[in-house]
């Protein structure tokens, strides 16, 4: 058997190195793409911010209620939006929360108490979608919204902040729900933030878009919310 010379060994070594480099590069790209739609855990207190965005991806931070929380299938509207826009997703939504409403015993904080987590992500876009859980606090909502919007203005002066009013199910909204919606709109206008009136547009008027509980959206309902929100963001240049 002929012993390979040094030149042959060098060529073979270079070919092996190239193949390994291609495999590693592909694995890195797959990992980077998967992080684009990652989200924080449900725990409000201990959830870390996401990996820092790179020049390839900006970040969008979501403050919301159960209509916006992450799921295992990635078909909730924030994930669909992040995938569509190629944004890193930092989803801080928690069920049963709002501008005022929280549940400290379960570690679920109202929107304003998550400001440090949002700032840590340094997002290009912040979307606040909620208010339906604040119908018992129509007066307190006024101060809570203004405090949150002022904090975002002062601590994230370059971020684009978009406010979405309460997203309700197909039942007629109560008078207090309308009042809360109006107070959120008024605060957004005071701070010159775009306001999307989901309550008036009544996105989930079709009962087939809701789960058996008659309250939470199905995957089809989530996709409809994504489409509606995406249309509004497009009109805002986002």
């Amino acid at each position: 058997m002929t012993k390979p010379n040094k030149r042959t060994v060098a060529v073979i070594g270079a070919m092996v190195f190239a193949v390994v480099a291609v495999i590693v590069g592909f694995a890195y790209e797959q990992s980077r793409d998967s992080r684009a739609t990652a989200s924080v855990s449900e725990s409000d207190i201990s959830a870390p911010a996401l990996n820092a965005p790179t020049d390839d991806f900006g970040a969008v931070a979501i403050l919301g209620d159960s209509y916006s929380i992450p799921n295992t299938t990635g078909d909730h509207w924030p994930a669909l939006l992040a995938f569509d826009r190629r944004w890193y997703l930092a989803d801080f939504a928690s069920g049963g929360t709002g501008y005022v409403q929280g549940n400290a015993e379960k570690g679920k904080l109202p929107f304003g108490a998550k400001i440090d987590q949002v700032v840590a992500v340094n997002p290009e876009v912040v979307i606040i979608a909620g208010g339906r859980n604040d119908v018992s606090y129509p007066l307190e909502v006024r101060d809570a919204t203004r405090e949150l919007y002022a904090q975002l203005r002062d601590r994230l002066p370059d971020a684009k902040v978009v406010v979405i009013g309460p997203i309700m199910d197909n039942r007629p909204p109560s008078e207090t729900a309308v009042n809360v919606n109006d107070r959120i709109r008024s605060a957004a206008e005071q701070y010159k933030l775009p306001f999307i009136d989901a309550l008036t547009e009544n996105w989930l008027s079709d009962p087939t878009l809701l789960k058996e509980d008659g309250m939470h959206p199905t995957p089809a309902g989530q996709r409809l919310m994504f489409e509606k929100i995406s249309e509004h963001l497009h009109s805002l240049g986002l």
Side-chain angles (χ1 to χ4, degrees), residues 7-193:
R7 178 180 177 83
T8 301
V9 171
V11 171
I12 293 174
M15 293 175 64
V16 171
F17 178 82
V19 171
V20 171
V22 170
I23 293 173
V24 171
F26 177 77
Y28 170 77
E29 289 298 322
Q30 292 294 98
S31 174
R32 189 177 69 169
D33 286 348
S34 67
R35 292 200 306 269
T37 55
S39 58
V40 298
S41 68
E42 174 64 14
S43 172
D44 290 312
I45 296 176
S46 61
L50 286 182
N51 296 329
T54 67
D55 292 337
D56 296 325
F57 295 103
V60 57
I62 306 293
L63 289 172
D65 51 34
S66 60
Y67 277 37
S68 307
I69 58 176
N71 59 34
T72 57
T73 58
D75 60 4
H76 65 306
W77 72 261
L80 296 173
L81 184 67
F83 182 80
D84 181 68
R85 297 298 202 279
R86 302 295 288 172
W87 286 334
Y88 278 91
L89 173 59
D91 192 336
F92 299 103
S94 295
T97 63
Y99 288 93
V100 180
Q101 179 66 44
N103 189 327
E105 292 182 357
K106 294 184 178 180
K108 295 185 176 184
L109 305 177
F111 297 167
K114 303 176 184 179
I115 185 68
D116 289 341
Q117 291 175 287
V118 173
V119 172
V121 178
N122 192 28
E124 292 183 0
V125 180
V126 179
I127 300 176
I128 310 165
R132 65 173 289 136
N133 294 314
D134 293 317
V135 294
S136 298
Y137 311 100
L139 298 180
E140 292 89 337
V141 163
R142 176 179 178 178
D143 291 336
T145 51
R146 284 165 169 74
E147 182 177 351
L148 175 58
Y149 301 162
Q151 288 262 3
L152 290 170
R153 177 197 61 192
D154 295 341
R155 299 181 65 182
L156 291 171
D158 297 325
K160 299 176 178 66
V161 180
V162 178
V163 178
I164 303 174
I167 305 173
M168 308 298 284
D169 48 56
N170 66 325
R171 293 169 293 184
S174 65
E175 182 178 347
T176 53
V178 174
N179 289 339
V180 166
N181 189 61
D182 290 342
R183 283 176 168 79
I184 295 172
R185 181 209 308 273
S186 177
E189 290 174 349
Q190 177 181 339
Y191 285 86
K192 296 180 172 55
L193 303 177

Side-chain angles (χ1 to χ4, degrees), residues 211-225:
K211 296 180 179 178
E212 292 182 359
D213 63 7
M215 181 182 300
H216 294 95
T218 62
Q222 287 283 352
R223 175 158 289 278
L224 178 67
M225 288 192 296

